[in-house]
Amino acid sequence: MLRQNLYTFFLSLILLVSCDILTPQVNFKLAIPVNDFTYNRSAQHLKLFLEKEGYQIDILPCENAIEANKMVGNGEADLTFIMNHSDFIPEVIGSKAGNLRTVLPLFERLFFLFSRNAILDTTKSTREILANKTVGIEVLGGETHANLKKLLQSCQIQNVEIVTKDQNPDFIHFWGTYYGPRATDLLNDNWQEISIDPTWEDFIILNDPALKPFTLPAIPGIEESLTLNTFSIQTLLVGRFDLGENAIYKLSEYIFKHKLELMGQDLMYRSINENFDASKILYPIHNGTDSYFQRNEPTFFERYSQVLAAVFSICAVIFGAVQAIRTVIAKRKKERIDQYFLNFLEIKSNREANAEKGEQFDELLQRALVQMTNEKLDKGDFHILARLIQQELSNLK
């Protein structure tokens, strides 16, 4: 039974490694917050884009980005999104954050702020404009909510109430894309874009290095559209650490090589670039993505040398363990049969009556037969013992 379990473990390990190399995973579950406009938009782009290559993408709706990252960490989903400055999410999901890895920075989001009323005093700073006001967002309790609270606290802006955007707020805030439909709709409803004053922008970026300054030109032909000073954040595609190295290698390769197709869907994908600073990424880079970045340096066998070395090492350990176990079992069987031969010689040499010796030989043969049936004796040795006992029984008669 032990031998069978070892063989099963060994074969399962070999199959697991070989499957990732020969037939890498193409079915992925993508966890997406139901109320995040940009995440849902990108999920649809990614689904259509990848399924043309033969991938199967199943979108799993969830409450917010915190829940989405938790699902990946728990193994309930394979992939999800996260903004690179949402460092509170790993703290919320705890030890499961250690299971998350960055596949690649997928797109860029911009900080947008719109005012219901025109800002008459243009000398006021953004900090003064927001004080004692209400700011509406898409959903409370999620990623945008937590990041906005962190921003307001770091800038010491007092008495700002965060509400949902349908509660008639003074301002509306969201993380969006260049010239997206939400910004256009708000402009058409006479909301005014707020350009972040440089002092406040510098302070925010100093406190959160993951953010980058960004200038968005005005939309040509729309008088209400202004040139905006704001900041951007990379949005990461993240997955579990135990997704196959070759599977993520192939996924990253396809996205990087065909990013122009994604850019045709939305300019936000122009940020897909191999030359990003991995030290500033929220989650460590997945081994598959790292292998893709190093593709021009190692050969195939060098790229998988650690995996192959581990497999061969495990094979050697398992083979040695099996051989050691077989040796111990054989030794124990030998010790048992030796004891039966010693009992045989003891009975043969005693001076008891033939009838008593015959009963002792019969009892010895019965015990040996039971031991052999339970596979605790070698069959060859048992047959030798049985012939000796039968010969002595014949002599006694």
Side-chain angles (χ1 to χ4, degrees):
M1 188 66 180
L2 177 60
R3 188 189 310 172
Q4 183 179 358
N5 290 337
L6 288 172
Y7 285 148
T8 302
F9 170 77
F10 170 74
L11 290 174
S12 298
L13 182 65
I14 294 296
L15 287 172
L16 181 64
V17 175
S18 62
C19 283
D20 180 53
I21 296 175
L22 300 176
T23 55
Q25 179 179 346
V26 294
N27 298 333
F28 293 98
K29 297 177 182 178
L30 178 62
I32 298 296
V34 292
N35 292 312
D36 192 298
F37 179 90
T38 305
Y39 283 168
N40 278 274
R41 182 180 174 87
S42 181
Q44 293 302 323
H45 292 162
L46 207 59
K47 180 178 175 67
L48 294 173
F49 169 70
L50 292 175
E51 289 187 346
K52 287 194 296 184
E53 181 63 11
Y55 286 91
Q56 177 63 44
I57 306 298
D58 297 321
I59 296 177
L60 305 182
C62 57
E63 185 177 355
N64 51 47
I66 302 170
E67 184 64 27
N69 279 256
K70 185 183 296 183
M71 288 174 66
V72 175
N74 289 334
E76 300 167 17
D78 301 309
L79 302 168
T80 190
F81 299 135
I82 188 173
M83 291 192 287
N84 194 38
H85 71 314
S86 298
D87 51 9
F88 72 94
I89 290 184
E91 296 177 4
V92 172
I93 64 179
S95 61
K96 294 298 181 181
N99 296 335
L100 296 169
R101 296 292 184 271
T102 298
V103 177
L104 74 162
L106 187 62
F107 57 88
E108 196 169 32
R109 301 180 80 174
L110 304 181
F111 180 94
F112 283 99
L113 187 65
F114 283 82
S115 172
R116 175 180 296 278
N117 302 309
I119 307 300
L120 300 179
D121 188 354
T122 57
T123 62
K124 285 187 176 181
S125 67
T126 309
R127 184 173 183 275
E128 293 173 316
I129 291 171
L130 286 175
N132 304 308
K133 297 294 192 301
T134 57
V135 178
I137 58 176
E138 290 173 326
V139 60
L140 300 179
E143 186 179 25
T144 298
H145 189 175
N147 283 321
L148 180 59
K149 283 178 62 177
K150 182 174 70 172
L151 184 149
L152 294 172
Q153 289 171 0
S154 66
C155 295
Q156 299 182 5
I157 303 177
Q158 305 296 325
N159 303 322
V160 177
E161 183 181 2
I162 302 174
V163 298
T164 57
K165 63 181 181 180
D166 57 358
Q167 291 183 272
N168 197 34
D170 300 306
F171 296 88
I172 286 180
H173 159 62
F174 59 87
W175 288 92
T177 63
Y178 320 134
Y179 314 112
R182 286 181 294 179
T184 303
D185 290 343
L186 287 171
L187 289 173
N188 291 336
D189 288 340
N190 297 319
W191 286 73
Q192 181 181 341
E193 295 170 300
I194 301 296
S195 185
I196 308 300
D197 65 84
T199 302
W200 198 50
E201 184 182 46
D202 291 343
F203 181 81
I204 291 171
I205 293 172
L206 178 65
N207 281 274
D208 197 338
L211 299 171
K212 300 296 180 185
F214 195 95
T215 300
L216 185 65
I219 302 175
I222 299 181
E223 295 181 2
E224 296 82 2
S225 178
L226 305 173
T227 297
L228 292 182
N229 291 321
T230 184
F231 37 88
S232 66
I233 189 68
Q234 286 278 11
T235 299
L236 311 178
L237 177 65
V238 300
R240 293 197 319 277
F241 79 99
D242 57 354
L243 293 175
E245 180 177 340
N246 196 38
I248 297 302
Y249 181 99
K250 295 292 185 183
L251 180 65
S252 302
E253 179 182 42
Y254 183 72
I255 294 175
F256 279 120
K257 285 186 175 181
H258 298 85
K259 67 177 183 178
L260 289 178
E261 186 177 339
L262 278 174
M263 286 176 61
Q265 299 289 328
D266 199 302
L267 284 175
M268 66 183 179
Y269 297 110
R270 74 173 193 172
S271 63
I272 297 177
N273 194 311
E274 296 181 37
N275 300 319
F276 61 88
D277 188 349
S279 66
K280 295 182 180 179
I281 297 296
L282 191 59
Y283 298 130
I285 300 295
H286 194 281
N287 287 340
T289 305
D290 188 58
S291 294
Y292 176 71
F293 292 156
Q294 306 299 326
R295 64 193 179 279
N296 295 325
E297 298 179 10
T299 64
F300 175 85
F301 290 103
E302 288 172 336
R303 178 145 49 90
Y304 291 103
S305 60
Q306 292 183 345
V307 175
L308 294 174
V311 170
F312 286 126
S313 297
I314 291 172
C315 291
V317 170
I318 291 176
F319 179 78
V322 171
Q323 290 299 105
I325 292 171
R326 292 180 64 182
T327 301
V328 170
I329 292 174
K331 182 179 179 182
R332 289 180 179 176
K333 286 184 177 181
K334 182 64 177 172
E335 290 174 350
R336 290 192 184 97
I337 197 66
D338 287 348
Q339 185 61 46
Y340 280 104
F341 280 116
L342 291 174
N343 291 340
F344 168 79
L345 293 173
E346 183 180 348
I347 295 171
K348 182 179 178 180
S349 63
N350 67 34
R351 297 184 178 184
E352 296 178 358
N354 288 350
E356 293 179 359
K357 292 175 70 173
E359 290 177 0
Q360 291 175 4
F361 279 129
D362 281 335
E363 191 269 337
L364 179 62
L365 182 61
Q366 291 295 325
R367 283 193 289 117
L369 180 61
V370 171
Q371 290 282 309
M372 191 275 293
T373 304
N374 292 333
E375 297 185 359
K376 295 181 180 179
L377 293 180
D378 182 84
K379 291 183 179 180
D381 290 337
F382 170 78
H383 289 314
I384 294 173
L385 177 66
R387 283 198 299 271
L388 290 172
I389 292 175
Q390 290 295 336
Q391 183 178 348
E392 286 299 319
L393 288 173
S394 298
N395 292 337
L396 290 174
K397 291 179 181 179

